[in-house]
Amino acid sequence: MDQFPSSSFVVRTERSLLGKERLQFIILVGQTGSGKTTQIPQFVLEAVKTSDKRHRMMVACTQPCPVAAISAAQRVAEEMNVAVGEEVGYSICFEDNVSRSKTVLKYLTDGMLLREAMADPLLDR
Ligand SMILES: Nc1ncnc2c1ncn2[C@@H]1O[C@H](COP(=O)(O)OP(=O)(O)OP(=O)(O)O)[C@@H](O)[C@H]1O
């Protein structure tokens, strides 16, 4: 696995994701606060927006607990200058703050992802 210093984490990751090759998975290791939760999903969103305009895809980012999912969604919505529940939303047990037509980035707990996978095994969205 490639190792790189944390200072170049964001720049090199962005290049990899936006590269021509379609990666099936990528393992990122970064220090706490380096942007894995708030920045990487935004890069992925940009990459899928430009790679396939015909198929509207959703980016999902799992979080270990509901509070973390809400907090991340609020932070990223603020960074993207949108309201939570529109382009950026969250899905936790008993609360689904997403828009069916607008949400493209969703923060959700591991349990909610599992529930989605049971309904949509190929995660087509
Ligand atoms: N809700 C928030 N309000 C203010 N700043 C935030 C918020 N969430 C994250 N940040 C800031 O954004 C930067 C990136 O944080 P992020 O959570 O994306 O890092 P991370 O790599 O996922 O960290 P961790 O490994 O601890 O989960 C950090 O400087 C962090 O302090």
Side-chain angles (χ1 to χ4, degrees):
M1 193 192 324
D2 274 351
Q3 297 278 323
F4 42 84
S6 58
S7 58
S8 61
F9 171 80
V10 169
V11 174
R12 292 184 61 170
T13 301
E14 185 177 22
R15 281 203 195 123
S16 301
L17 289 168
L18 296 177
K20 284 197 175 122
E21 70 275 35
R22 297 196 69 151
L23 303 173
Q24 286 207 310
F25 64 86
I26 179 168
I27 298 173
L28 294 171
V29 181
Q31 288 176 356
T32 185
S34 60
K36 299 181 297 292
T37 306
T38 57
Q39 306 307 306
I40 298 300
Q42 293 186 64
F43 296 154
V44 176
L45 193 56
E46 278 306 309
V48 296
K49 257 196 223 162
T50 51
S51 69
D52 190 351
K53 293 194 170 69
R54 290 158 303 158
H55 185 63
R56 190 180 161 85
M57 295 177 86
M58 180 184 286
V59 175
C61 181
T62 59
Q63 293 296 300
C65 69
V67 172
I70 296 172
S71 169
Q74 285 172 339
R75 172 66 181 177
V76 173
E78 194 181 312
E79 287 185 12
M80 289 172 62
N81 207 18
V82 297
V84 180
E86 297 195 344
E87 284 84 354
V88 182
Y90 61 85
S91 182
I92 59 176
C93 204
F94 307 122
E95 194 181 350
D96 210 21
N97 192 356
V98 294
S99 155
R100 198 159 174 76
S101 59
K102 285 191 185 165
T103 301
V104 285
L105 172 53
K106 175 158 79 172
Y107 286 89
L108 73 178
T109 54
D110 301 345
M112 292 306 285
L113 181 66
L114 187 60
R115 187 181 291 185
E116 287 210 15
M118 288 166 76
D120 174 16
L122 296 179
L123 293 175
D124 279 334
R125 289 205 71 201

